[in-house]
Amino acid sequence: MGTTVTDPAALTPREARSLFRGGLITPTAGWSAGWTQANLLVLPREMALEFMVFAQRNARACPVLDVALAGEVAASIFDGDLRTDLPAYRVYRDGEPVAEVGEVREYWRDDLVSFLIGCSFTFEGALLEAGVPVRHIEAGTNVPMYLTNRECAPAGRFAGPLVVSMRPVPARQVGDAVRVTARYPAVHGAPVHVGDPAGLGITDLDRPDFGEPVEIRAGETPVFWACGVTPQAAVMRSRPAFAIGHAPGHMAVTDARDSAYLVP
Amino acid sequence: MGTTVTDPAALTPREARSLFRGGLITPTAGWSAGWTQANLLVLPREMALEFMVFAQRNARACPVLDVALAGEVAASIFDGDLRTDLPAYRVYRDGEPVAEVGEVREYWRDDLVSFLIGCSFTFEGALLEAGVPVRHIEAGTNVPMYLTNRECAPAGRFAGPLVVSMRPVPARQVGDAVRVTARYPAVHGAPVHVGDPAGLGITDLDRPDFGEPVEIRAGETPVFWACGVTPQAAVMRSRPAFAIGHAPGHMAVTDARDSAYLVP
């Protein structure tokens, strides 16, 4: 769109959403520092209870931060328009992505229920503050994410594999990484797996299923956290007739502060 | 029923549920020590999503621990039969309690969704371990609970007042009481109000809306926690055509350990 944003970290959520509503399409990593970003999943009301129970049963991967009921296009932590105020959306029919678009007003229906789901961006700031390096931020790339051989607990018509994100952590700092992220249970919390990727059925860390690979240096341990892409993996497996998600990396910038999800 | 239970704290959840299924009706305070007890709310599927979103929006009062979808009568933390394995139930029609019964098979329908909701019994053990006295346990009575002037965030057809439980705490131990219960965010967490009951619209602590009054001694501060009776207050306000709850104090004894809800 030709928009130049010189300091996206300094924008308020309202300012960021206004740019996205105006047509700017960009990944949101680093935008509106200190404000919580969220995954979006939109489903017809007829499927929404089963998805919400799926999320409750797999809360580490699918922590529901807020819900807009049918007829609502804002939420208590998102004082904007869910149909236009994310930078990009992915539209699914029968579990297949059929479009990636900057707004979804033309797809919207009165029976759609919108879920905002926690994102590990929230705890990455805390990792950095604790001196734990975050490789994909250093590299300026998207975090690597992997489908695993761990099945989520199903709920009604929803089922699918656990998806994880991976960050390589120096062995002496793994304890800190666990301790820091455990304090954010509402946004994936502590790691689900630390060490050998084969234990999750991951055969090649250099070939993530989503995002981009990162370097793992000598003396570093791969650390795996439950990932908010899990709901979209469940959509792909469970094939609801219609769904909308955010485009990977193009998150909802909310009015909740990261600190709101910190426990003592 | 003539059953004599000499040491209910020592029973496993399975043993406790078996007694209740056999007809024993008793409050569950002190039963199956260390195992989580839960509030029950059962609603027709047609109302269930709106209630679950109400619970999400008021998670301090209505923490959903597990859900049984329509057609299910057990849950991952309740390996029993939700229709028979609580000691007593309260049946509502149009928001009015119409029956209090030992089992609800005759009321059951295939479209009912069951919610298990966290209960402050979970953190009372931790309060006692921290040396914080719990007056209603000392007195052998039910905890006093109050309707407040704080409105819950509504969701669809569900609305209602926040209900709180009150425990008087010696002023020098209020800090400990907050610290200890904050570590259980999934079961009401930290207090919502500490001090003057008028701030919650409560005019007389000696006349609770549910449960029994307790003595407040010199030097003690009334401390208020969000209460799992809030969902039943919402049923009374919102008047769904049909609902089932547990009878107050007659909880679901689950297979989850209290420690499962402790955060670091």
Side-chain angles (χ1 to χ4, degrees):
Chain A
M1 294 287 119
T3 307
T4 302
V5 181
T6 53
D7 188 6
L11 296 177
T12 66
R14 178 173 298 275
E15 290 165 342
R17 292 192 300 256
S18 174
L19 289 170
F20 303 148
R21 188 165 57 247
L24 179 65
I25 294 182
T26 174
T28 52
W31 281 61
S32 298
W35 298 94
T36 297
Q37 298 194 20
N39 302 277
L40 176 71
L41 187 66
V42 180
L43 288 165
R45 179 170 43 203
E46 183 267 325
M47 295 287 283
L49 174 67
E50 287 171 43
F51 174 73
M52 195 166 181
V53 174
F54 177 83
Q56 195 278 333
R57 291 181 184 174
N58 301 283
R60 195 74 81 84
C62 310
V64 173
L65 302 185
D66 211 342
V67 185
L69 284 167
E72 301 173 347
V73 296
S76 62
I77 66 165
F78 190 91
D79 184 20
D81 188 325
L82 289 163
R83 303 167 300 180
T84 56
D85 291 6
L86 277 68
Y89 300 80
R90 191 169 272 187
V91 180
Y92 294 86
R93 291 198 191 278
D94 299 321
E96 304 284 345
V98 295
E100 196 154 314
V101 289
E103 57 127 308
V104 290
R105 277 182 296 186
E106 69 182 289
Y107 295 96
W108 205 259
R109 307 166 356 186
D110 285 343
D111 71 334
L112 294 178
V113 177
S114 305
F115 295 91
L116 290 169
I117 293 163
C119 164
S120 54
F121 287 4
T122 299
F123 64 58
E124 288 183 342
L127 285 172
L128 292 171
E129 275 178 39
V132 178
V134 180
R135 181 67 32 76
H136 67 96
I137 293 180
E138 293 167 2
T141 56
N142 197 355
V143 67
M145 294 165 271
Y146 306 87
L147 298 165
T148 72
N149 62 4
R150 271 197 217 171
E151 274 296 293
C152 290
R157 289 163 285 179
F158 273 93
L162 173 69
V163 179
V164 294
S165 61
M166 189 280 290
R167 293 161 187 80
V169 177
R172 66 179 174 78
Q173 290 180 287
V174 169
D176 288 341
V178 173
R179 184 178 55 77
V180 166
T181 57
R183 296 182 66 201
Y184 291 91
V187 285
H188 304 313
V192 293
H193 189 86
V194 178
D196 186 7
L200 292 171
I202 299 170
T203 53
D204 187 353
L205 287 178
D206 287 334
R207 297 180 56 189
D209 296 290
F210 310 92
E212 295 163 80
V214 293
E215 181 193 4
I216 303 182
R217 297 179 188 156
E220 292 182 339
T221 303
V223 180
F224 299 89
W225 281 266
C227 176
V229 171
T230 303
Q232 293 200 43
V235 164
M236 290 183 251
R237 168 87 69 83
S238 310
R239 300 180 160 276
F242 183 74
I244 299 172
H246 65 286
H250 298 65
M251 316 300 286
V253 179
T254 80
D255 300 295
R257 290 194 181 272
D258 287 341
S259 57
Y261 300 106
L262 177 65
V263 298
Chain B
M1 293 281 119
T3 307
T4 302
V5 180
T6 51
D7 189 5
L11 295 177
T12 66
R14 177 173 299 276
E15 291 165 343
R17 291 192 301 255
S18 174
L19 288 170
F20 304 147
R21 188 164 58 247
L24 180 64
I25 294 181
T26 174
T28 51
W31 282 61
S32 298
W35 298 93
T36 297
Q37 298 195 21
N39 302 277
L40 176 71
L41 187 66
V42 180
L43 288 165
R45 180 171 43 204
E46 183 267 326
M47 295 287 283
L49 174 67
E50 286 170 45
F51 174 74
M52 197 168 181
V53 173
F54 177 83
Q56 195 278 332
R57 290 181 184 174
N58 301 284
R60 195 73 81 83
C62 311
V64 174
L65 303 185
D66 211 342
V67 185
L69 285 166
E72 301 173 347
V73 296
S76 62
I77 66 166
F78 191 90
D79 183 20
D81 188 325
L82 289 163
R83 302 169 299 180
T84 56
D85 291 7
L86 276 68
Y89 301 79
R90 191 169 273 187
V91 180
Y92 294 86
R93 292 197 191 279
D94 299 321
E96 304 284 345
V98 295
E100 196 154 316
V101 288
E103 57 128 307
V104 289
R105 277 182 297 186
E106 70 183 284
Y107 296 95
W108 205 260
R109 307 168 355 187
D110 285 343
D111 71 333
L112 294 179
V113 177
S114 304
F115 296 90
L116 290 169
I117 293 163
C119 163
S120 56
F121 286 4
T122 300
F123 66 57
E124 289 182 342
L127 285 172
L128 291 172
E129 275 176 40
V132 178
V134 180
R135 180 70 30 79
H136 68 97
I137 293 179
E138 293 168 1
T141 56
N142 197 356
V143 66
M145 294 164 271
Y146 306 86
L147 298 165
T148 72
N149 62 5
R150 272 196 216 173
E151 274 296 293
C152 290
R157 288 163 284 180
F158 273 93
L162 174 68
V163 179
V164 294
S165 61
M166 189 279 289
R167 294 162 188 80
V169 177
R172 66 180 174 79
Q173 291 179 287
V174 170
D176 288 341
V178 173
R179 185 177 55 78
V180 165
T181 57
R183 296 182 67 201
Y184 290 91
V187 283
H188 304 312
V192 294
H193 190 86
V194 179
D196 187 7
L200 293 170
I202 299 169
T203 52
D204 187 353
L205 287 178
D206 288 332
R207 296 180 56 189
D209 296 289
F210 311 91
E212 295 163 79
V214 293
E215 182 193 3
I216 302 182
R217 298 180 188 155
E220 291 181 338
T221 303
V223 181
F224 300 89
W225 281 266
C227 176
V229 171
T230 303
Q232 293 199 42
V235 164
M236 289 183 252
R237 168 89 68 84
S238 309
R239 301 182 160 274
F242 184 74
I244 299 171
H246 64 287
H250 299 63
M251 317 298 286
V253 179
T254 80
D255 300 295
R257 289 195 181 271
D258 287 340
S259 57
Y261 300 106
L262 177 66
V263 299

